[in-house]
Amino acid sequence: MAGFDEVNTVQKPILDLLVQAGWKHVPGHLLPRNTEDTFLHASLSNALTRLNTAITDDPSRADEILTVLKRRILSAREDGTVQTNQAFLEWIRGLKTHQYRGTKGFQPVQLIDFNDQSQNSFIVSDEVTFGTPGSTSRFDLILWVNGLPLVVIETKTRASSRITWLNAAKDIHDVYEAKWPGFFVPNAFSVATDGRELHYGSIGQPTDSWGIWGSTADDAQLSGWERVKRSVELMLSPTMVLSIVNEFTVFETVKRAGKAPQLIKIVPRYPQVEAVTAIHERALHRTKRQGLIHHTQGSGKTLAMLFAAMKLVKDPALRNPTVVAIADRIQLVSQMSGQFVRAGMASIATPEDSPRLRQLLEQDRRGVIFSTVHKFKNSGLLSNRENIIVLVDEAHRTQEGQLGQHLRAAFPHARFFGFTGTPIADDDRNTFSLFGDPDDPGHAMNSYNSDRSIADGTTVPIHVAPRLVDFHIHKEELDQAFDELADEEGLDEEAKNFLATRATQTRTFFANPERVQKVCSDIIKHFYSAIDPLGMKAQIVVFDRGLCADYYNELTKQLAARSENADTDEVAVVMSVQPKDNQEWNKFRLTSAEEEQLLDRFRTHGDNLKFLIVTSKLGTGFDAPVEGVMYLDKPLKMHTLFQTITRTNRTWRNPKTGQEKLHGLIVDYVGLGDGFARAMSPADPEHARKLLDAETLVDQFETEIKTTLVRFVGIDKMKFDFETFSEATNRLPNQDEIADFSAQFGMLQGLWEAAWPNLRLEKHQGDYKWLAKIYETLAPSDATKELLWLRLGAKTMELVHGHIGDVTVDIGGVDMIIADQDTIKKLIDTGALDPKKDTGNPVPVSTEEVIDNIANRLKRRLAGANGDHAVYRSIADRLDRMREQRVTRAKEGVELLQGFLAIAKDLTAAEKAEDTSGAAGLDLLPNHQIGALTQIFHEFKPEGTPIILEKVVVEIDEVVREVSNGWEGWAKTKVGDRTVRGSIRVVLNRYGLPLQGDLFDHAYAYVTENY
């Protein structure tokens, strides 16, 4: 009896799926070809004859094209596989022409009909031999379109947990592509699968970055054969293969430190295809004119914009459109346009200023135009055309204000599509309502959140390592020293209050020299013990630009002190420096080219630039996979915090050791606590903005400003010189008049701020600005206070810093996972998020609410029939201890929230056990008399499951021991992690147990802790 092998467990089931999808099965040994032939010559010749009129008229002309294509195949070894593949793609896409012998002029050549698929042949073959006698290989599955081998599929057996899809991918990348490059010249992409996972990649793509395919409509945790099956059905259908070839493939030349630039081939991820498809359909819609794409940070939004632009520009139904790509920063525009240019996108313009932008649009420029949103300020109507499509990157910024209104006024009939990783929904802004359509699920045409991205391996989880920076203020001594300073300088009470207030602002404590020294010391200690050995680098986010300089100086000093040779690791600052700024900051002033060169050094593994210090720059649009840690010493909130910390979520593999980046790390010196939960929680599309009748407010404003201007009749309000101000102040001869004017202007100011950015306000900007200047001249001057600060500020700060002592940096214990593939679910399950059942959109709650929720739930259970059970008494004791700890702590740290969430989790388990089985269920909760794995299966197996629990436990134990035996550090690699997950699911599946949910999660958690 035959056993389980690669063919019957993986290859044959996938072959069956491909046949169901529309591929005709022709076994490899029955193909009409020689083993050294890359093409199926008969199929390709027939397609040429069928699709090209000139060849239809004279079928012998097909041989001319076949000869040209064969030459391309043979040039792969000399010219490079990727370069030849790029050139051959032009033939596949029908972009090449040929002059047939005996004819005049060149005619286009079509190899594949992308518009009418019935004109193409789709063949799948198994066991295809390729090569010359004595040097051949056998491909498991090949997908042929019109005789061209577009997809290579390598399969591995499911019978061995040690042989995975990665072995298959390495066979393709390391053996087949290297040994037989000609066969991969027509290649669209390749696929590797072991029946548990399926990954795909382009030629030359490192196997660790091969992607997985799916659908955002499916469960993010879909895995095993079901995920493989879905991947085959979705990605390997004839329609999708042709779409990837024709619409979703680009080439880009990337820079490499110390090496020549390299040409790479880029194929899409499934959320990019979904987003582009949604945009294209909406662009053709008769009535709907906008849509929102919500893809998490680091998931490839810029590439999605590139693919969208390519598809829109090429579609005849859009009648040669203009695609306007918008960002809010010049640097982001340069990055986007640069990627489009490197990818070979034609007809691109990046106007340098507003006049040039207007000129291009007045000339009816088609193709793609890149611009910042600022170039549309006061631009007025630029085009009435309907086939203008505006793609807005980072759509949560600037678009709510007047700049966004100017942009929309410039193109009143355009389609607008917003891309964002952090949509905002608060009282003043709502990205969903601005770009979304209420008929779209969650007001977004396509959503790809961080949980799904992490589950797919597109990004990595994020962990937080809390640090408590504590200090003691010698208050009595400081008060005495300050009184002595006041007496010595003869300060009155107002001056004393001014100096005290300014000297004790938040920045003062962040800038305390001892604190800076201690935090920098902790950064260096942590970095060189945990991050540098892995080959990764660090970003440091500090309070302001002044502290950028302070941290640079301190870190540079400490690095020099620890270095035993001249090859000291380096620190750099990236911040904006203006001419009026502190002259000592001039060393940080960089041109755009210098900044990009600096960032390239940081991105380069092995370069001595290990630390980047920033305060607000690099928050978006900065991609550095080598960044393994962010040292966060700046209070941030909500979407700004999310954008900042996700700088660390890019995947990366050490090019020398092969060690993978398993997670990004945030070392928190601020004590943000549950601020991370709030930042990771999704925005609520239904959150209503403040209801304001802007038109009525503007009506009132116009009435008020008209009345206010009456007293200044006859004065030229276009002037801001001394004479004008003197004349205006003469119209306010006494305090009563000044008080009346101040009250009037206060009313105007409130109306202006409430009604902004209504475009009707624009015509009043000049008058309003002039009145504001007059109002400023009436306000008491702060000049004397500034002089006082110049004279005594340094001495006052020295006093304050001199009385802040005993600075300590305490390690907060176990890291907290704040972003993984189940983040939102876990936050809801443990009580940090309220499911908000009325809208289905979870909202964050405070730590106090978490504690109160636990306490109230526990109180009800203690008062119930099983209230004296040991489980509840234990949870009550833990809650009391945690509460006492919180009271005695100066600052709330992440570890406190983690402790409360652990209690919430255990309480949830106890409630579930009691509700299901009463006291007997509580008795089954973990204790020293019941094996942990057995307990897990008792607790979380589906009710009525007819299985022998001990047998399941034993099998999982045996499987995991076999997997991890001799595989030291398996849990630190993606392959090891996935292999163990898959092995557990194999056992669960054998006994009909659920492959997802609590049973699997708890079993896996136990295995990772104990094997």
Side-chain angles (χ1 to χ4, degrees):
M1 180 178 177
F4 295 118
D5 59 22
E6 175 185 319
V7 173
N8 59 33
T9 62
V10 181
Q11 184 174 310
K12 179 62 167 59
I14 288 179
L15 177 60
D16 292 342
L17 289 173
L18 291 168
V19 171
Q20 293 172 23
W23 300 88
K24 179 184 177 182
H25 178 213
V26 178
H29 67 278
L30 296 180
L31 290 171
R33 60 182 288 272
N34 297 317
T35 58
E36 64 268 23
D37 290 341
T38 297
F39 312 134
L40 302 180
H41 286 89
S43 293
L44 184 53
S45 181
N46 289 338
L48 287 167
T49 304
R50 188 168 59 248
L51 302 177
N52 299 273
T53 304
I55 303 178
T56 304
D57 295 339
D58 183 356
S60 67
R61 290 173 176 167
D63 290 335
E64 293 184 41
I65 304 300
L66 290 173
T67 300
V68 175
L69 298 180
K70 286 178 183 178
R71 281 202 295 264
R72 278 292 180 193
I73 298 296
L74 295 173
S75 68
R77 288 193 182 277
E78 183 176 343
D79 296 341
T81 313
V82 179
Q83 287 79 0
T84 313
N85 182 271
Q86 181 184 32
F88 201 91
L89 183 61
E90 294 185 10
W91 283 95
I92 292 177
R93 286 177 169 173
L95 303 177
K96 303 296 288 185
T97 59
H98 179 76
Q99 183 176 1
Y100 297 98
R101 287 191 295 269
T103 66
K104 294 181 179 180
F106 286 80
Q107 298 186 47
V109 178
Q110 193 173 4
L111 305 185
I112 295 174
D113 192 329
F114 291 101
N115 297 316
D116 183 0
Q117 290 189 23
S118 66
Q119 295 297 307
N120 304 310
S121 69
F122 299 98
I123 294 174
V124 55
S125 301
D126 52 343
E127 306 298 327
V128 177
T129 301
F130 179 78
T132 55
S135 177
T136 62
S137 183
R138 191 167 60 187
F139 300 124
D140 292 333
L141 294 167
I142 300 293
L143 300 184
W144 313 84
V145 178
N146 293 346
L148 298 171
L150 294 189
V151 180
V152 174
I153 304 173
E154 184 73 7
T155 61
K156 294 297 178 184
T157 179
R158 298 167 69 181
S160 172
S161 57
R162 285 189 174 276
I163 300 176
T164 71
W165 70 269
L166 189 57
N167 299 94
K170 287 182 176 179
D171 284 348
I172 294 173
H173 182 49
D174 299 341
V175 180
Y176 303 153
E177 289 182 13
K179 200 169 183 179
W180 296 281
F183 194 81
F184 290 86
V185 169
N187 182 265
F189 55 87
S190 296
V191 174
T193 181
D194 55 11
R196 296 180 292 265
E197 294 187 57
L198 183 148
H199 291 246
Y200 69 98
S202 61
I203 55 172
Q205 182 177 350
T207 54
D208 60 282
S209 65
W210 280 33
I212 65 176
W213 203 267
S215 167
T216 55
D218 291 342
D219 183 351
Q221 302 307 314
L222 188 65
S223 60
W225 172 249
E226 289 303 313
R227 180 63 181 260
V228 171
K229 181 173 179 288
R230 284 291 284 159
S231 298
V232 173
E233 293 169 344
L234 294 167
M235 185 188 197
L236 297 181
S237 69
T239 300
M240 183 56 70
V241 169
L242 292 189
S243 178
I244 291 173
V245 169
N246 194 38
E247 302 170 314
F248 293 98
T249 299
V250 294
F251 293 82
E252 181 175 358
T253 302
V254 296
K255 293 181 290 186
R256 297 187 297 169
K259 299 180 181 178
Q262 180 183 20
L263 181 70
I264 63 171
K265 181 179 181 179
I266 301 173
V267 290
R269 297 174 178 144
Y270 71 88
Q272 294 166 337
V273 173
E274 289 184 358
V276 172
T277 302
I279 290 172
H280 180 248
E281 291 175 355
R282 186 63 52 84
L284 295 173
H285 199 279
R286 295 180 62 183
T287 56
K288 294 183 181 295
R289 311 185 69 83
Q290 65 180 39
L292 180 67
I293 304 298
H294 174 202
H295 286 189
T296 192
Q297 303 294 108
S299 60
K301 292 192 298 297
T302 303
L303 265 178
M305 292 180 71
L306 169 58
F307 292 135
M310 288 172 56
K311 188 174 181 72
L312 295 168
V313 168
K314 289 167 61 176
D315 188 352
L318 290 170
R319 308 183 318 280
N320 195 15
T322 300
V323 176
V324 183
I326 299 292
D328 66 340
R329 295 179 183 173
I330 295 174
Q331 185 182 38
L332 295 183
V333 169
S334 298
Q335 290 173 359
M336 281 197 302
S337 60
Q339 186 152 34
F340 277 44
V341 169
R342 292 190 299 272
M345 184 76 180
S347 189
I348 292 175
T350 308
E352 62 275 11
D353 52 31
S354 297
R356 178 56 181 158
L357 172 67
R358 288 193 289 271
Q359 183 183 28
L360 286 174
L361 291 165
E362 288 168 359
Q363 294 170 350
D364 204 27
R365 175 65 178 258
R366 306 302 171 105
V368 183
I369 297 175
F370 293 91
S371 176
T372 60
V373 68
H374 306 85
K375 288 187 175 71
F376 290 89
K377 184 176 182 179
N378 299 320
S379 62
L381 176 65
L382 294 179
S383 178
N384 263 318
R385 280 196 289 120
E386 291 189 355
N387 64 339
I388 290 179
I389 301 160
V390 183
L391 307 178
V392 182
D393 192 23
E394 303 296 349
H396 58 280
R397 299 199 303 254
T398 72
Q399 292 299 304
E400 297 277 358
Q402 201 170 61
L403 287 174
Q405 293 197 21
H406 285 155
L407 174 61
R408 289 173 182 260
F411 308 118
H413 301 297
R415 266 77 170 171
F416 284 82
F417 299 99
F419 290 74
T420 181
T422 52
I424 300 173
D426 56 28
D427 290 345
D428 300 308
R429 297 167 293 176
N430 192 312
T431 315
F432 298 99
S433 63
L434 183 65
F435 280 96
D437 187 289
D439 293 336
D440 293 329
H443 293 248
M445 291 194 303
N446 189 251
S447 295
Y448 187 65
N449 63 25
S450 60
D451 288 14
R452 190 177 292 273
S453 175
I454 292 168
D456 286 350
T458 304
T459 57
V460 298
I462 301 175
H463 294 192
V464 166
R467 293 289 202 269
L468 176 66
V469 183
D470 213 347
F471 52 84
H472 179 69
I473 300 177
H474 305 284
K475 187 176 183 305
E476 293 182 0
E477 296 176 15
L478 176 60
D479 288 344
Q480 182 179 347
F482 194 64
D483 288 339
E484 291 175 358
L485 173 66
D487 291 341
E488 180 182 328
E489 298 292 339
L491 303 178
D492 58 22
E493 198 63 29
E494 183 180 358
K496 284 176 61 176
N497 289 337
F498 166 73
L499 287 176
T501 300
R502 188 155 178 177
T504 55
Q505 293 174 346
T506 301
R507 185 192 188 279
T508 301
F509 301 100
F510 278 94
N512 176 258
E514 185 179 354
R515 186 185 185 281
V516 172
Q517 185 270 325
K518 291 286 181 66
V519 170
C520 287
S521 177
D522 186 71
I523 287 173
I524 288 176
K525 181 179 179 180
H526 178 272
F527 178 80
Y528 286 103
S529 64
I531 306 301
D532 191 58
L534 300 177
M536 293 187 287
K537 300 189 178 184
Q539 187 175 162
I540 303 167
V541 181
V542 299
F543 191 80
D544 60 17
R545 292 183 301 155
L547 278 161
C548 283
D550 292 346
Y551 271 65
Y552 173 84
N553 294 332
E554 183 62 33
L555 283 169
T556 301
K557 182 177 72 174
Q558 293 192 26
L559 286 173
R562 76 179 299 276
S563 177
E564 297 179 357
N565 53 58
D567 195 25
T568 306
D569 286 340
E570 298 176 39
V571 187
V573 171
V574 180
M575 70 180 192
S576 299
V577 180
Q578 305 302 325
K580 294 182 179 180
D581 287 333
N582 189 324
Q583 293 301 301
E584 294 182 3
W585 298 355
N586 282 338
K587 60 185 176 184
F588 306 128
R589 189 195 302 271
L590 300 171
T591 64
S592 296
E594 290 169 338
E595 181 176 310
E596 190 56 38
Q597 184 179 19
L598 184 76
L599 297 181
D600 281 342
R601 286 189 59 201
F602 180 76
R603 295 184 184 102
T604 302
H605 172 259
D607 191 286
N608 279 2
L609 179 56
K610 300 288 183 68
F611 303 89
L612 278 186
I613 304 174
V614 300
T615 182
S616 59
K617 294 200 75 171
L618 308 185
T620 57
F622 176 59
D623 190 29
V626 75
E627 182 178 319
V629 64
M630 174 177 287
Y631 297 101
L632 185 59
D633 199 24
K634 178 179 182 178
L636 297 170
K637 293 181 180 179
M638 300 305 289
H639 72 280
T640 305
L641 175 60
F642 178 79
Q643 283 184 320
T644 301
I645 63 179
T646 50
R647 293 299 98 198
T648 65
N649 77 348
R650 278 41 167 188
T651 59
W652 182 77
R653 180 189 289 268
N654 189 310
K656 289 187 176 180
T657 67
Q659 169 71 48
E660 291 178 295
K661 178 183 180 180
L662 298 179
H663 61 263
L665 181 63
I666 309 299
V667 178
D668 172 24
Y669 292 102
V670 183
L672 292 179
D674 58 358
F676 290 108
R678 292 173 176 272
M680 296 304 299
S681 64
D684 176 12
E686 302 294 339
H687 188 106
R689 290 184 287 183
K690 288 182 294 189
L691 293 177
L692 294 173
D693 185 350
E695 294 302 319
T696 300
L697 291 173
V698 175
D699 290 343
Q700 188 177 353
F701 176 86
E702 290 179 334
T703 300
E704 292 291 339
I705 196 170
K706 184 176 180 180
T707 303
T708 305
L709 288 169
V710 166
R711 69 174 73 239
F712 301 111
V713 169
I715 299 177
D716 187 350
K717 298 173 188 63
M718 299 297 293
K719 292 185 177 180
F720 292 88
D721 54 21
F722 176 76
E723 289 77 12
T724 303
F725 285 133
S726 296
E727 185 176 353
T729 53
N730 288 337
R731 306 288 179 92
L732 303 167
N734 53 55
Q735 287 300 317
D736 289 341
E737 294 285 348
I738 291 174
D740 287 345
F741 169 71
S742 297
Q744 284 180 313
F745 184 78
M747 173 68 77
L748 279 177
Q749 191 174 41
L751 290 169
W752 178 277
E753 292 177 357
W756 183 266
N758 190 289
L759 294 180
R760 284 174 56 196
L761 293 174
E762 287 189 347
K763 62 182 178 181
H764 302 294
Q765 274 188 306
D767 287 340
Y768 179 72
K769 182 178 179 181
W770 188 85
L771 289 171
K773 288 292 184 182
I774 300 301
Y775 179 76
E776 284 180 21
T777 65
L778 302 174
S781 173
D782 286 333
T784 56
K785 290 182 179 178
E786 289 302 317
L787 288 172
L788 177 64
W789 183 254
L790 284 172
R791 184 166 67 87
L792 296 178
K795 187 180 290 188
T796 305
M797 293 296 291
E798 187 178 344
L799 279 181
V800 174
H801 287 313
H803 290 82
I804 297 176
D806 307 321
V807 178
T808 59
V809 180
D810 296 328
I811 298 175
V814 180
D815 293 356
M816 180 181 182
I817 300 174
I818 62 167
D820 66 6
Q821 59 190 30
D822 294 311
T823 297
I824 303 303
K825 179 179 182 298
K826 290 177 179 176
L827 290 173
I828 292 174
D829 290 346
T830 54
L833 286 182
D834 181 350
K836 200 178 179 185
K837 295 179 182 178
D838 56 329
T839 66
N841 297 294
V843 294
V845 296
S846 67
T847 303
E848 288 80 1
E849 290 173 291
V850 173
I851 299 169
D852 290 343
N853 175 270
I854 297 170
N856 291 333
R857 288 161 55 193
L858 184 58
K859 184 178 180 181
R860 288 193 296 271
R861 295 290 172 168
L862 291 172
N866 298 301
D868 60 346
H869 196 284
V871 169
Y872 287 130
R873 291 200 303 272
S874 172
I875 292 175
D877 290 341
R878 288 164 60 196
L879 181 61
D880 287 341
R881 288 196 300 271
M882 289 294 293
R883 277 177 153 173
E884 291 174 5
Q885 181 183 4
R886 189 170 190 278
V887 170
T888 58
R889 290 288 292 271
K891 289 187 177 182
E892 175 186 330
V894 173
E895 72 277 11
L896 279 175
L897 177 63
Q898 187 176 21
F900 284 119
L901 295 184
I903 294 174
K905 182 178 180 181
D906 291 345
L907 177 56
T908 300
E911 290 171 331
K912 180 179 178 180
E914 183 182 16
D915 292 342
T916 304
S917 307
L922 293 172
D923 291 337
L924 287 176
L925 291 175
N927 62 60
H928 66 280
Q929 295 177 332
I930 302 177
L933 266 180
T934 302
Q935 167 56 37
I936 288 168
F937 280 84
H938 271 299
E939 180 179 356
F940 295 104
K941 72 179 180 66
E943 185 176 355
T945 304
I947 62 169
I948 303 173
L949 290 179
E950 288 73 13
K951 186 172 178 59
V952 177
V953 173
V954 169
E955 285 201 25
I956 286 185
D957 180 77
E958 290 176 351
V959 168
V960 175
R961 285 182 185 278
E962 192 275 331
V963 169
S964 58
N965 183 34
W967 195 346
E968 185 177 351
W970 65 267
K972 296 181 179 179
T973 67
K974 291 179 182 177
V975 173
D977 177 76
R978 287 174 179 151
T979 302
V980 171
R981 287 176 183 270
S983 301
I984 295 173
R985 287 190 169 108
V986 166
V987 177
L988 296 180
N989 187 55
R990 184 177 298 128
Y991 289 94
L993 289 166
L995 305 183
Q996 303 171 59
D998 287 341
L999 178 57
F1000 171 81
D1001 293 343
H1002 286 77
Y1004 175 75
Y1006 177 78
V1007 169
T1008 56
E1009 291 173 4
N1010 293 278
Y1011 286 86

